[in-house]
Amino acid sequence: MGTTPPPRLPVRDRTAGLPHAGGAVSPMLTRLAAERATGVLERERGAIYLAEGRVVHAESPFAPGLDVLLLTHGTLEPRVWWEAVERAGEEHGAARLLLDAGRIGRSALELCHLGALYDAAYFALAPSSSPGRFRYGAGHWFGALRPVPVDAVERETLRRRELLHRLWPDPLPDSAPLLRAEPAVGPLPSARQRAVLALVDGVRTASDIARELGRRAFPTLVDVRRLAAAGLVTARFPPPVPQPAPALSLPRVNDPDITLLKRLRDALEAL
C-alpha cells in the first residue's frame, strides 16, 4: 500500500519584491547576445556596447567612468590617459594603445575596466520608462579588452539589486541628493562610510560622492544604503511637479437675462 509523500517545505523567494526578478533583466539584450550582434544598446540610464554578442564596455552618467578610477589615485598619469584617448581609433582602441606602450599592466587595467563596466551596466539595465534602442555596428573608442558574456552581466545586476534591497529597500538614496539625519544611538560608521558621510550636504548624490572620492559606484551605493539603514542619511525627495491653475469659468448668461439688462440700462438712461 502506497503512502502519500509529505508536502514540500516552502522555499523563501530571495528575489521577492525586486523589479524584473522573474526573468531576464533585458530581453532585448538577451536577444542581441543570441544574435552575436555588434553595436551599442542605448537605454534611459546608460549604454552597453557589444562585440559579437558579448559586453565590451558600458557607461552611465550615474557611475564614475574608467578615467576617474584610473586617474584619481595615481594609477595612471592624466597625460598618458588623454594621449591614448586622442589617438584611439577604430583599428586601435585606447586599451590596446595603453598596453602596447607599457603604461599600465594588463591585470590592473582589466580590473579597473571590469569594475567600471559592471557599475555602469547596473544603472543602464535599471527599469526605465522608455524602450531601449540598438545601433548596429557602433563601437567604443576604448576598444575590447576583456569581453563579458551577457548572462554574467545580468546575473551580477540581479545580485546587486538583491544585496541593496536587503540593506535598505528604498532605492531613492541611489540617485537623489542626500541629507544628513539625526540618528538614534547606534554603532559608529566605518571609515569608508565616514568618508561618504563627510560629503553629504543636501546637494550631492551618491554618484557625485563616488566621483569626488574616486571610488566605484556600487560600493558607494552599499555605503549609502547602510548609512540610510542606520538612520544617518536620508534622501531629498524631488520637488512636486507644479500643477497648472484651473481656468476661471465665467457664469453663463442666457438670452432672457441679457434682454432684462438692456431694459434696465435704457430705463436708467431715460431718467
Side-chain angles (χ1 to χ4, degrees), residues 204-220:
R204 294 186 180 97
T205 64
S207 298
D208 297 330
I209 292 174
R211 286 188 182 89
E212 191 149 342
L213 293 174
R215 294 179 180 175
R216 289 179 43 216
F218 182 70
T220 305

Side-chain angles (χ1 to χ4, degrees), residues 178-184 197 200 227-228 230-235:
L178 298 172
L179 296 162
R180 286 176 178 255
E182 293 297 332
L197 192 58
V200 173
L227 289 169
L232 294 170
V233 300
T234 185

Side-chain angles (χ1 to χ4, degrees), residues 75 82 85 98 115-116 130 162-163 180 187 196 206 218 221 238 248 266:
T75 304
W82 292 116
V85 172
L98 290 170
S130 58
E162 182 183 352
L163 173 60
R180 286 176 178 255
V196 171
F218 182 70
L221 293 184
L248 295 177
D266 293 342

Side-chain angles (χ1 to χ4, degrees), residues 241-247:
V241 178
Q243 299 296 325

Side-chain angles (χ1 to χ4, degrees), residues 161-195:
R161 288 183 189 176
E162 182 183 352
L163 173 60
L164 293 177
H165 186 79
R166 288 202 313 267
L167 294 175
W168 183 250
D170 183 5
L172 187 61
D174 294 355
S175 56
L178 298 172
L179 296 162
R180 286 176 178 255
E182 293 297 332
V185 177
L188 293 176
S190 65
R192 281 185 56 90
Q193 293 168 5
R194 289 197 300 272

Side-chain angles (χ1 to χ4, degrees), residues 12 17 23 26 67 77 82 108 113 152 162-163 172 177 195 199 228 238 240 247 257:
R12 178 174 175 264
S26 170
D67 56 335
E77 295 180 10
W82 292 116
H113 179 249
E162 182 183 352
L163 173 60
L172 187 61
L199 295 177
D257 291 337

Side-chain angles (χ1 to χ4, degrees), residues 84-94 96-97 137-144:
V85 172
E86 291 174 0
R87 292 177 52 203
E90 293 184 3
E91 185 177 357
H92 299 289
R96 181 173 175 181
L97 293 173
H140 194 274
W141 51 262
F142 185 74

